[in-house]
Amino acid sequence: MENLQRTSESMIDLKEKTNVTIKPKKSKLKRMWKERYLYLLLLPGLLYFIIYRYIPMAGNIIAFQDFSPFQGFFHSDWVGLKHFKTIFEDQEVIRVLWNTLYLSFLQIVFAFPISIILAIMLNEVRSSFYKRVIQSIVYLPHFLSWVVVIGIVTVLLKSNGIVNKIIEGAFGIEPIGFLQDPHWFMPLVVLEVIWKESGWGTIIFLAALSGINPSLYEAAAVDGANRWQQIWHITLPALKSTIIILLILRLGSVLDVGFEQIYLMLTPFTMEIGNVLDTFVYLKGIQNSDFSFATAVGLFKSVVGLILIVAANRLAKRFGDGGVY
């Protein structure tokens, strides 16, 4: 009887399990129609990338041609890798490439950590009022165009500018040619980037810091850790993944140091040390009408950026981090 009862109970359970209704999956088209408003919100961003990012990539074909605007894409002479070989043979390109790498290295070493330091400092401010005021002040320069920033720098640092007048009056030395001396070019560019973009860069780090459990700080304080020890053992480890992801993305644009800023800063005195790939492509491609060679340099820059992103992402995964993808 017991075995019979157990068998009947198991059959009832099996029947109940088999009677569970399985809802048919909705087709993709129906789901897309149901979420059509979300796709409409996505549409402007997709159109931007398609029109301004993907369609212009077809123009890279002229890097393999002796392109002539009068003959067009389909009738210009094919030259294969001729222009890419010239990149490594032209001494001017090698000098410009070195300037670009050196300036990008300075920005990564000096400008990139400033956003992290600033975010940690803002996170330590306990008064919400002062925190909002400071955030507004450090965010503001980001919304100024490089034309305005370079104009301010020029007014301050020109030969008869405020800075040189203070130096001359306080120390009695001759005015310094900040804008003409090649040795000042790279430091000025890095300082301008720090002043303009560091505050804006703190947004992502502050978002990461907001996800830290406050009980970790409380437990550390109970254990006798001071604020510096809490930052070192709690705050910085919490920022590790964000720092690595942003650094990987930054490496992808290592050959892109900003055309507008550099072009506005260039003078005949600083051309040798200040000319980078972006300005070189503009001067070579637009002013000298060497479209094919300029396109080859731009394509080379994009390929190098892609390789650096993939390599840095794999390296990050090897050391146990998530990476970008």
Side-chain angles (χ1 to χ4, degrees), residues 23-80:
K23 295 181 179 179
K25 291 183 178 180
K26 294 182 178 179
S27 65
K28 290 184 179 180
L29 291 177
K30 288 183 178 180
R31 190 180 65 181
M32 291 176 66
W33 176 251
K34 183 179 179 181
E35 300 172 354
R36 58 189 180 277
Y37 297 112
L38 294 177
Y39 285 101
L40 283 175
L41 290 174
L42 184 65
L43 186 61
L46 288 175
L47 289 177
Y48 168 79
F49 280 99
I50 292 171
I51 296 172
Y52 295 104
R53 298 293 181 178
Y54 289 101
I55 293 179
M57 288 175 67
N60 286 323
I61 193 175
I62 69 177
F64 306 94
Q65 300 175 329
D66 274 334
F67 177 74
S68 171
F70 303 102
Q71 294 178 337
F73 293 106
F74 302 104
H75 301 287
S76 297
D77 296 331
W78 286 89
V79 294

Side-chain angles (χ1 to χ4, degrees), residues 1-19:
M1 290 295 292
E2 292 180 359
N3 293 334
L4 183 62
Q5 187 176 359
R6 290 176 184 175
T7 304
S8 61
E9 289 177 355
S10 61
M11 290 180 65
I12 293 172
D13 292 339
L14 181 62
K15 186 177 180 181
E16 290 178 353
K17 290 180 181 178
T18 54
N19 285 338

Side-chain angles (χ1 to χ4, degrees), residues 50-311:
I50 292 171
I51 296 172
Y52 295 104
R53 298 293 181 178
Y54 289 101
I55 293 179
M57 288 175 67
N60 286 323
I61 193 175
I62 69 177
F64 306 94
Q65 300 175 329
D66 274 334
F67 177 74
S68 171
F70 303 102
Q71 294 178 337
F73 293 106
F74 302 104
H75 301 287
S76 297
D77 296 331
W78 286 89
V79 294
L81 300 176
K82 170 187 171 183
H83 300 296
F84 293 95
K85 293 178 181 177
T86 308
I87 293 175
F88 301 99
E89 296 172 355
D90 193 335
Q91 292 298 320
E92 186 180 5
V93 176
I94 295 174
R95 178 176 56 81
V96 167
L97 181 60
W98 166 252
N99 292 341
T100 306
L101 290 172
Y102 182 59
L103 182 56
S104 186
F105 171 77
L106 291 177
Q107 290 184 4
I108 291 174
V109 171
F110 294 103
F112 183 77
I114 296 297
S115 296
I116 303 171
I117 296 170
L118 192 57
I120 294 173
M121 293 173 65
L122 286 171
N123 190 58
E124 293 298 315
V125 177
R126 291 293 171 258
S127 172
S128 59
F129 172 76
Y130 287 114
K131 188 174 183 178
R132 287 196 300 268
V133 170
I134 296 171
Q135 283 179 316
S136 301
I137 293 173
V138 297
Y139 290 170
L140 184 62
H142 170 78
F143 299 98
L144 300 176
S145 70
W146 278 115
V147 176
V148 175
V149 174
I150 302 303
I152 294 172
V153 171
T154 303
V155 171
L156 292 175
L157 299 181
K158 62 183 181 179
S159 300
N160 59 346
I162 298 173
V163 174
N164 271 315
K165 285 184 177 179
I166 293 173
I167 292 174
E168 188 177 5
F171 303 101
I173 61 177
E174 294 294 325
I176 301 173
F178 292 104
L179 303 177
Q180 295 80 28
D181 190 347
H183 296 95
W184 281 100
F185 184 85
M186 295 287 187
L188 285 177
V189 170
V190 175
L191 287 173
E192 289 165 4
V193 171
I194 290 174
W195 180 75
K196 186 177 186 295
E197 302 296 345
S198 292
W200 185 255
T202 60
I203 293 177
I204 297 176
F205 294 112
L206 284 173
L209 289 174
S210 65
I212 301 176
N213 192 342
S215 62
L216 294 175
Y217 292 106
E218 296 172 2
V222 171
D223 290 338
N226 56 34
R227 295 305 301 176
W228 289 108
Q229 291 172 331
Q230 292 176 30
I231 291 172
W232 183 259
H233 294 286
I234 298 175
T235 306
L236 287 177
L239 290 176
K240 178 186 172 184
S241 298
T242 306
I243 293 172
I244 290 175
I245 290 174
L246 292 180
L247 188 58
I248 291 172
L249 295 176
R250 180 65 184 85
L251 287 175
S253 59
V254 71
L255 296 182
D256 186 6
V257 291
F259 165 77
E260 189 176 1
Q261 178 194 11
I262 305 299
Y263 185 72
L264 293 171
M265 287 284 292
L266 281 179
T267 65
F269 304 100
T270 59
M271 182 62 72
E272 184 174 352
I273 194 172
N275 195 15
V276 295
L277 278 175
D278 291 329
T279 54
F280 177 77
V281 168
Y282 171 77
L283 296 172
K284 195 81 172 176
I286 304 300
Q287 294 191 358
N288 295 343
S289 301
D290 194 350
F291 302 108
S292 295
F293 182 68
T295 304
V297 175
L299 185 58
F300 166 75
K301 185 180 74 170
S302 301
V303 171
V304 170
L306 177 62
I307 293 172
L308 287 174
I309 281 184
V310 173

